[in-house]
Amino acid sequence: MHNKKRIWQIPWGYRESIAIVLGIVLVGFMLQATIGKFDFYLLSFPFNLYFGILSLAFIVLSVFLKRKAFFIWFTSLSFSVSLIGAITFLSIIMGLTKQVPIIDRANIFTLLGFNQMTSSWAFVLIYFLLLLSLGSTIAKRKPRLTKQYLVFILNHIGLWLILFFAGLGYSDLNRYIMYVEIGETQWRVYDKDSKVVELPIAIQLNSFTIEQYIPKLAVIDKKTGEVLPKDKPIYFQIDTNSKEEFTFNGYKIRLKNYIHNAVRSSDSSYKEVPMKASCPAALVEIRNNNKVKSHWISAGNKMQSPMFMDIDSNLALVMTPSEPKSFISNIEVYTQEGGYYKEENLRVNHPLKAGSWRIYQYGYDNNMGKMSSYSSFELVYDPWLNMVYVGIGLLALGSLLLIIFGKNYKK
Amino acid sequence: MSWDSFIWFALPSILLWVIASLLVYKTNYRLISNILFLMGISTFLLFIILFWNHINRPPFRTMGETRLWYSFFITTIGFITYRIWKYKWLLSYTTLVGSVFIIINLLKPEIHSTNLMPALQSSWFIPHVTSYILSYSMFGASTIAAIILLFKLRKDKEDKELEKLIDNLVYVGFGFLALGMLMGCMWAKAAWGNYWSWDPKETWAFLTITTYLAYIHTRIQRINIRTSLWILIIALILLCITWLGVSYLPSAQESIHVY
């Protein structure tokens, strides 16, 4: 189309857009090599607010100047596609390079910011250009009551809100880890540099429980401890509802009894005792050539020693250690402003929202397992989160309309 | 109704779907085809309900149970998409994918509970993965169509209908891709407190979606269609890396998505 046109002659198309975007990426690389990575804390409150207002002012200005050659180009598809191409290119570099929080060895790639792509100047510059170009493009388009406009506006505003609030809000986002002993209240946390900080929010841990999966049975080589067969270990799931038997080298192994919370008695049998030091135990029977023997086995824990069963001089039947199914904290939360929140079932995937804070179940004392005396939480402070959610909601609606309408060709 | 009876529901469902996806090509049998396909879905759903009732807990725990839902959602959403878009091949396609999951379940049931780690125990799990599978199937089909069109264009044969088909498939696939990604964000937020953390799988998913964005925008701009079609082919290669290849990248050895 513009083949006859000389480069830099208006209107600008792909040649100019690609040249400018490449230039900006190169400037980004040079900035990176000379002054180091982009410091997101330059954008912490209130500077992100100022920057946000400036961006909005730019977008409003673009509406008034939309017939100027510069803004026609700035909101053109050629420029958009070039920016999309640049962010894809930088992401491919990011996808192929290991991303690290701290660079310990400098080389040409670290110098250009490849190992910390999202805080590299090239990435940040393209990101903000995208934000401005997208904003101006949305503002330029005249609202109409058509399917096309609806799909356009939902998808583009949704994306713009996400980019705007996730990008500018990033430096206001804070994450802390808090360890709380059962029965105690805590407000001191560790920040990302492992420094102790006091927060305006306190958590009282009333109780902490771990639910465990029912363990499996396995046959091991007594000398090496390896699960057999070596190349393809077999694990037999204990299932009290099933009468299925587990056969190994002609030995028939059958489950006779299973206790999830068991404590060993003096005669080496197990009884159901619902206490924290209990562990799963099973009574199993092994049959081979009319010889029958049964025995209790258990994987044990910090308080109880494991029990296994000799099959013959080389083989033994063991129980696998229990894997956690869920870990649940019962907490009460107090904030300095007098807020009070309560959650009896705080667990992974089910955080508690407390004002602008969100509290996540993080971990526990892995060595002690069920007997852990503390529970740990991740506290995330993200004041702009709701705006990102609005963006996600609009984008989801827009995506749904794409599925229903498709490209929506006019007849 | 336990796993033992699964075959008595699974085989009739597959049979109904196969007949329906064949009959759809006969103009006079469209209605019967629709009815048969719905009967297949209902038979399958009936098993899920009876099975759920039998085991007394939601059937989301084992691999076998997860595949049950894949088969159900793939065929159901495939049917709805066919009703909206009238692409007849969609019925055979979803029948094929749904049946593969059913046959795996029949041959290798894995009915014992797999120990799903706490982070995976989420109601976002199934919609997140199903949405991605649907988008991948649309993109796969659109790429095949793109290659056909590129060959036609080499012989200077235009095909406006095929162009429209490719565009619509990409739009529908893009919708599912974006929904899958957004649901992943909601899940990640609930599990880790981050809706986006540039995990290697996320990075590759991101650059895949931006490549499809480039296709969509170059098509609106109506640049030379050959360029757009090549972008579409590159996008599918990137998508395959995201789906299957990320696990092998040295940059991704600590990714939460490696399994």
Side-chain angles (χ1 to χ4, degrees):
Chain A
M1 215 157 71
H2 302 298
N3 282 345
K4 301 253 166 58
K5 184 178 78 68
R6 296 228 308 267
I7 191 165
W8 303 120
Q9 202 177 332
I10 46 175
W12 288 354
Y14 269 106
R15 280 189 295 182
E16 292 82 357
S17 301
I18 292 169
I20 288 171
V21 167
L22 267 179
I24 287 164
V25 169
L26 286 179
V27 166
F29 285 157
M30 285 196 289
L31 276 172
Q32 185 81 19
T34 46
I35 61 170
K37 68 173 182 175
F38 179 81
D39 185 0
F40 269 96
Y41 293 91
L42 290 174
L43 278 180
S44 59
F45 191 81
F47 296 103
N48 52 3
L49 194 68
Y50 301 154
F51 196 86
I53 292 170
L54 269 177
S55 316
L56 284 175
F58 177 89
I59 290 166
V60 171
L61 185 76
S62 77
V63 180
F64 289 105
L65 300 176
K66 68 181 174 188
R67 288 186 214 296
K68 297 278 176 209
F70 173 80
F71 282 104
I72 290 175
W73 163 76
F74 195 71
T75 57
S76 70
L77 280 159
S78 307
F79 186 51
S80 313
V81 173
S82 305
L83 283 174
I84 293 171
I87 205 111
T88 310
F89 168 69
L90 294 174
S91 304
I92 289 178
I93 295 176
M94 172 165 33
L96 293 173
T97 336
K98 197 173 165 69
Q99 299 296 300
V100 290
I102 296 157
I103 291 168
D104 45 6
R105 222 162 17 125
N107 56 34
I108 178 75
F109 300 120
T110 57
L111 196 66
L112 298 178
F114 287 6
N115 294 68
Q116 298 182 326
M117 188 51 87
T118 52
S119 45
S120 77
W121 278 95
F123 191 89
V124 170
L125 289 176
I126 293 292
Y127 186 103
F128 283 113
L129 263 185
L130 196 62
L131 193 64
L132 292 179
S133 165
L134 181 61
S136 306
T137 308
I138 296 167
K140 179 179 85 170
R141 187 135 157 187
K142 219 181 250 150
R144 283 200 185 86
L145 262 178
T146 58
K147 276 185 198 171
Q148 277 102 332
Y149 185 75
L150 190 63
V151 175
F152 166 83
I153 203 74
L154 284 173
N155 281 316
H156 288 78
I157 286 199
L159 180 63
W160 188 85
L161 286 174
I162 295 172
L163 290 179
F164 188 78
F165 286 101
L168 290 176
Y170 179 73
S171 44
D172 289 338
L173 186 144
N174 279 309
R175 313 167 71 86
Y176 306 99
I177 307 292
M178 180 190 275
Y179 297 87
V180 194
E181 296 280 330
I182 294 170
E184 290 185 4
T185 306
Q186 184 61 271
W187 57 92
R188 280 175 300 257
V189 290
Y190 293 94
D191 68 6
K192 64 174 174 49
D193 305 319
S194 300
K195 271 193 298 202
V196 177
V197 186
E198 291 193 6
L199 291 188
I201 183 165
I203 299 179
Q204 176 185 325
L205 178 61
N206 295 325
S207 66
F208 176 67
T209 42
I210 294 186
E211 285 177 19
Q212 290 171 321
Y213 281 111
I214 296 176
K216 300 178 174 91
L217 300 178
V219 176
I220 59 161
D221 182 326
K222 283 209 287 199
K223 285 199 194 76
T224 61
E226 277 175 315
V227 175
L228 300 174
K230 247 185 208 165
D231 45 334
K232 199 170 174 272
I234 299 175
Y235 293 93
F236 181 73
Q237 176 66 56
I238 293 175
D239 185 350
T240 47
N241 291 325
S242 156
K243 296 212 165 49
E244 209 182 323
E245 284 188 350
F246 169 35
T247 315
F248 192 94
N249 280 4
Y251 293 100
K252 286 200 162 131
I253 299 160
R254 187 171 73 90
L255 184 74
K256 287 175 75 179
N257 194 2
Y258 173 76
I259 304 171
H260 197 57
N261 296 303
V263 170
R264 187 156 71 193
S265 317
S266 50
D267 63 348
S268 288
S269 71
Y270 282 81
K271 281 196 180 62
E272 166 108 40
V273 182
M275 58 185 274
K276 285 208 164 183
S278 67
C279 62
L283 181 63
V284 279
E285 181 189 86
I286 301 187
R287 269 179 299 140
N288 180 27
N289 304 329
N290 301 328
K291 265 187 249 166
V292 181
K293 54 179 178 179
S294 34
H295 201 281
W296 280 96
I297 61 171
S298 168
N301 59 16
K302 279 271 159 184
M303 300 298 287
Q304 303 193 54
S305 44
M307 293 272 277
F308 60 91
M309 180 178 188
D310 280 331
I311 299 177
D312 57 31
S313 53
N314 296 320
L315 305 177
L317 183 70
V318 297
M319 183 183 274
T320 60
S322 308
E323 293 167 75
K325 183 178 171 186
S326 61
F327 34 110
I328 302 164
S329 298
N330 176 342
I331 58 165
E332 285 171 69
V333 179
Y334 306 90
T335 64
Q336 221 161 43
E337 304 94 60
Y340 171 78
Y341 308 87
K342 190 174 156 67
E343 177 56 63
E344 289 175 8
N345 280 308
L346 188 80
R347 57 204 160 99
V348 176
N349 270 320
H350 299 272
L352 168 67
K353 188 174 178 292
S356 283
W357 291 90
R358 271 183 170 74
I359 300 166
Y360 297 86
Q361 178 66 54
Y362 184 70
Y364 55 91
D365 186 343
N366 286 327
N367 274 326
M368 297 304 284
K370 243 166 65 167
M371 287 172 283
S372 174
S373 65
Y374 68 81
S375 173
S376 57
F377 306 100
E378 180 163 39
L379 287 87
V380 181
Y381 177 76
D382 191 353
W384 306 105
L385 180 67
N386 284 337
M387 291 314 290
V388 175
Y389 276 171
V390 171
I392 289 181
L394 294 178
L395 197 52
L397 262 178
S399 309
L400 211 57
L401 292 186
L402 282 181
I403 295 171
I404 297 169
F405 297 153
K407 179 138 187 190
N408 193 31
Y409 280 101
K410 280 191 201 124
K411 288 262 160 67
Chain B
M1 206 55 64
S2 70
W3 274 120
D4 301 336
S5 348
F6 180 53
I7 192 162
W8 305 114
F9 290 83
L11 290 185
S13 296
I14 293 179
L15 196 67
L16 285 164
W17 289 332
V18 169
I19 297 170
S21 50
L22 292 176
L23 282 183
V24 75
Y25 291 98
K26 300 248 177 218
T27 326
N28 298 333
Y29 293 93
R30 292 274 159 78
L31 182 67
I32 300 174
S33 160
N34 286 337
I35 293 170
L36 290 180
F37 205 89
L38 279 175
M39 276 170 65
I41 293 175
S42 317
T43 312
F44 201 75
L45 182 64
L46 184 66
F47 173 77
I48 297 180
I49 294 169
L50 294 173
F51 178 64
W52 189 328
N53 190 40
H54 169 73
I55 57 173
N56 249 325
R57 60 169 172 80
F60 291 107
R61 197 183 286 169
T62 69
M63 273 313 284
E65 288 162 12
T66 318
R67 283 197 284 260
L68 212 54
W69 291 104
Y70 284 155
S71 304
F72 174 71
F73 281 118
I74 288 273
T75 45
T76 307
I77 298 175
F79 181 72
I80 295 169
T81 319
Y82 154 72
R83 292 294 301 160
I84 296 175
W85 290 104
K86 308 281 185 259
Y87 298 142
K88 297 178 203 107
W89 57 268
L90 256 174
L91 286 189
S92 0
Y93 185 84
T94 54
T95 299
L96 182 71
V97 180
S99 306
V100 165
F101 285 119
I102 290 177
I103 290 164
I104 295 173
N105 257 1
L106 286 171
L107 299 180
K108 195 170 175 292
E110 293 178 74
I111 48 178
H112 290 304
S113 70
T114 51
N115 296 351
L116 225 48
M117 58 191 257
L120 286 182
Q121 300 164 17
S122 165
S123 42
W124 294 109
F125 192 178
I126 293 204
H128 170 68
V129 178
T130 311
S131 196
Y132 268 108
I133 290 182
L134 284 163
S135 89
Y136 288 7
S137 55
M138 298 290 163
F139 287 145
S142 69
T143 311
I144 293 168
I147 292 168
I148 295 172
L149 186 56
L150 274 173
F151 274 111
K152 283 194 169 178
L153 290 172
R154 263 177 87 172
K155 294 175 192 157
D156 283 324
K157 273 193 266 177
E158 282 207 336
D159 190 338
K160 289 289 168 202
E161 280 312 303
L162 198 55
E163 277 181 31
K164 285 185 185 178
L165 171 75
I166 294 169
D167 282 339
N168 280 331
L169 284 173
V170 171
Y171 272 58
V172 177
F174 191 88
F176 280 121
L177 190 71
L179 277 182
M181 186 179 265
L182 295 173
M183 286 190 277
C185 290
M186 301 301 289
W187 182 8
K189 182 69 196 168
W192 296 287
N194 257 338
Y195 44 81
W196 194 268
S197 47
W198 297 105
D199 176 271
K201 191 99 169 184
E202 291 174 4
T203 304
W204 281 93
F206 174 81
L207 61 94
T208 306
I209 210 166
T210 52
T211 311
Y212 280 107
L213 264 187
Y215 170 84
I216 289 175
H217 286 84
T218 57
R219 285 293 294 146
I220 292 171
Q221 197 180 13
R222 301 197 162 278
I223 62 164
N224 189 337
I225 187 166
R226 282 198 186 91
T227 315
S228 299
L229 294 175
W230 276 107
I231 293 175
L232 203 53
I233 293 170
I234 293 167
L236 193 81
I237 295 169
L238 294 174
L239 185 127
C240 290
I241 297 176
T242 308
W243 186 16
L244 307 164
V246 167
S247 312
Y248 302 103
L249 288 176
S251 57
Q253 287 317 303
E254 282 143 45
S255 164
I256 51 163
H257 281 95
V258 170
Y259 24 79

